């Protein structure tokens, strides 16, 4: 407690996980083209469920709090963190199977070690409860007539704000990671078109999972679907745009003493995403898709809610 009714907290919070779920394709027919650690003729894939994945989380967590006094309470927190794992488990951002959730190279699952799908390095939250200082018993207009106080006195404003880093994502080709061959920074023209990555910086992977595979490339040098390939690009090496949310609530209790001392009608006005900020998720990371680098996802736009609540 550094001042009256004000408290601060700082902490290190971490976790270490072992024996987590790992989904891996351990068999692929030679003409299927998907990854696999051995050949099984006649089968498209053989899925193995193992418990050998690992995860690690480290964070600096801070908090500043003002206890409710003088009509105001505040709770704010900032977290700086990093979450790393080598597999997202059976459910991930890319789908629900060994081709999207499993390791890019099933022979070496450790190469998938990178940022977790849930990694949010920066997150700031602010919440407040504020009795607006107008009306009887408050700082301003405390001597106004009862009829005026009935309308303008006794209002309370609540806020919840969140600002955080965007989600990580991977650039892929045919479900696996692509090769990085240039600068992925988009040009000003691409940004104006809503494209957040430079397509020319990526290509289909050229590295064979099995060095002895033959007939793996087309005449132009691009890979065909005869052989499983692995990309040189890391997992979750890019991040979507930052996100900002602000929800607010304004309400007042109107006492109806003619009914009873405890009877109140509460008027409540709520706004979700007050500034109507466009919060997206992650751009399209598939280099074979015509919408590569674009993000058409959109989370909740502004919503208004008006309510009456009877308290008795």
């Amino acid at each position: 407690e550094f001042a009256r009714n004000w408290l601060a907290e700082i902490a290190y919070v971490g976790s270490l996980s072992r024996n987590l779920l790992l989904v891996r394709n351990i068999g692929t027919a030679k003409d299927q083209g998907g990854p696999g650690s051995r050949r099984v003729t006649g089968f498209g894939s053989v899925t193995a469920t193992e418990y050998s994945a690992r995860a690690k989380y480290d964070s600096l967590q801070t908090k500043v709090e003002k206890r409710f006094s003088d009509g105001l309470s505040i709770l704010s927190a900032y977290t700086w963190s990093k979450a790393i794992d080598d597999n997202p488990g059976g459910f991930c951002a890319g789908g629900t199977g060994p081709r999207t959730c499993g390791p890019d190279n099933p022979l070496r699952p450790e190469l998938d070690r990178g940022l977790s799908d849930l990694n949010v390095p920066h997150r700031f939250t602010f919440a407040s409860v504020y009795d607006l200082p107008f009306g009887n018993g408050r700082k301003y207009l405390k001597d106004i007539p009862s009829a005026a106080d009935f309308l303008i006195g006794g209002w309370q404003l609540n806020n919840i704000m969140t600002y955080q880093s965007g989600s990580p994502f991977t650039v892929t080709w045919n479900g696996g990671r692509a090769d990085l061959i240039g600068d992925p920074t988009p040009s000003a023209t691409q940004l104006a078109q809503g494209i957040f990555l430079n397509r020319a910086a990526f290509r289909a992977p050229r590295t064979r999972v099995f060095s002895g595979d033959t007939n793996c490339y087309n005449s132009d040098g691009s890979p065909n679907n005869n052989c499983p390939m692995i990309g040189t690009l890391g997992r979750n090496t890019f991040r979507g745009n930052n996100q900002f949310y602000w929800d607010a609530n304004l309400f007042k209790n109107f006492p109806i003493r003619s009914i009873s001392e405890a009877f109140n009608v509460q008027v409540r006005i709520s706004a979700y995403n007050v500034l109507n900020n466009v919060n997206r998720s992650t751009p399209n990371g598939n280099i074979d898709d015509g919408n590569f680098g674009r993000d058409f996802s959109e989370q909740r736009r502004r919503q208004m809610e008006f309510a009456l609540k009877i308290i008795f």
Side-chain angles (χ1 to χ4, degrees), residues 172-173 199 284-294 296:
T172 63
W173 174 82
R199 170 64 179 81
N284 185 324
N286 181 5
I287 62 175
D288 273 347
D289 195 303
N291 290 317
F292 171 77
R294 301 178 186 269
F296 293 108

Side-chain angles (χ1 to χ4, degrees), residues 100-120:
T100 51
C101 295
D104 204 41
N105 182 352
L107 298 176
R108 299 185 61 190
E110 70 277 6
L111 295 180
D112 265 44
R113 186 176 186 273
L115 293 178
S116 167
D117 291 356
L118 305 177
N119 180 65
V120 179

Side-chain angles (χ1 to χ4, degrees), residues 152-174:
I152 67 174
W155 288 91
Q156 185 181 94
L157 175 66
N158 302 324
N159 292 285
I160 299 178
M161 300 181 185
T162 302
Y163 183 80
Q164 65 183 28
S165 304
S167 301
F169 69 98
T170 305
V171 173
T172 63
W173 174 82
N174 194 26

Side-chain angles (χ1 to χ4, degrees), residues 3-47:
R4 184 181 180 187
N5 295 319
W6 285 91
L7 301 94
E9 180 180 298
I10 183 169
Y12 161 78
V13 178
S15 68
L16 195 63
S17 304
R18 294 290 183 267
N19 303 321
L20 300 178
L21 176 65
L22 172 66
V23 180
R24 190 156 56 119
N25 179 7
I26 62 170
T28 302
K30 188 171 180 60
D31 60 352
Q32 294 294 319
S37 59
R38 62 178 66 91
R39 301 299 190 182
V40 181
T41 303
F43 292 91
S45 64
V46 177
T47 301

Side-chain angles (χ1 to χ4, degrees), residues 13-14 60 101 106 114 120 126 137 164 208 212 217 220 244 263 273 305:
V13 178
L60 171 70
C101 295
V120 179
F126 176 88
Q164 65 183 28
R208 292 169 291 181
Y217 304 98
D220 61 358
F244 175 72
F263 195 94
N273 194 355
E305 181 179 279

Side-chain angles (χ1 to χ4, degrees), residues 154-212:
W155 288 91
Q156 185 181 94
L157 175 66
N158 302 324
N159 292 285
I160 299 178
M161 300 181 185
T162 302
Y163 183 80
Q164 65 183 28
S165 304
S167 301
F169 69 98
T170 305
V171 173
T172 63
W173 174 82
N174 194 26
R177 298 198 303 271
D179 281 350
L180 180 66
I181 57 173
D183 184 359
T185 305
S187 65
T189 302
Q190 289 174 320
L191 284 175
Q193 296 172 347
I195 301 174
F196 298 99
L197 286 173
N198 177 19
R199 170 64 179 81
F202 307 95
R203 71 176 184 185
R206 298 290 197 273
T207 305
R208 292 169 291 181
V209 172
F210 302 99
S211 59

